[in-house]
Amino acid sequence: EYKINDSSLRYNPQIKQYFELKSLLTISSAICYAAKQRQESRGAHYRTDFENSRDYAGVNSVVYKNDNGLLQSGLVKEKLGEE
């Protein structure tokens, strides 16, 4: 557990470090979760238990936190980033 000793509201390096660490841990968890959920080999992400890759043209894989704060993944058929 990370403890913040300085609770001042002015620029506080400990608070900045806390949020940076929290962000890094969240992203690291999402990357590991996505890698474990992948059931194929794709590029440098080779898995010996799933040696073949599949064609997912027009499909994007998404990792997100659900309402309970747990990581989940899913496939989205529309292109991300376009309206």
Side-chain angles (χ1 to χ4, degrees):
E1 185 160 311
Y2 191 86
K3 183 176 180 182
I4 298 173
N5 297 322
D6 182 4
S7 61
S8 69
L9 296 178
R10 292 190 292 172
Y11 177 73
N12 186 333
Q14 283 188 328
I15 292 175
K16 179 179 180 272
Q17 287 177 339
Y18 169 79
F19 285 110
E20 287 177 347
L21 178 61
K22 186 175 177 182
S23 294
L24 285 171
L25 292 172
T26 300
I27 295 299
S28 299
S29 295
I31 290 169
C32 291
Y33 180 84
K36 287 174 69 175
Q37 295 298 312
R38 186 179 302 111
Q39 295 183 357
E40 64 173 337
S41 290
R42 184 151 307 260
H45 299 275
Y46 182 79
R47 292 188 53 168
T48 57
D49 51 345
F50 296 99
E51 296 178 359
N52 298 321
S53 64
R54 292 182 260 175
D55 183 22
Y56 284 115
V59 177
N60 296 291
S61 179
V62 179
V63 175
Y64 60 94
K65 281 189 174 182
N66 65 15
D67 293 336
N68 296 326
L70 301 173
L71 290 174
Q72 287 190 313
S73 64
L75 297 176
V76 179
K77 294 196 184 212
E78 59 270 356
K79 292 184 179 182
L80 297 177
E82 295 183 7
E83 295 184 28

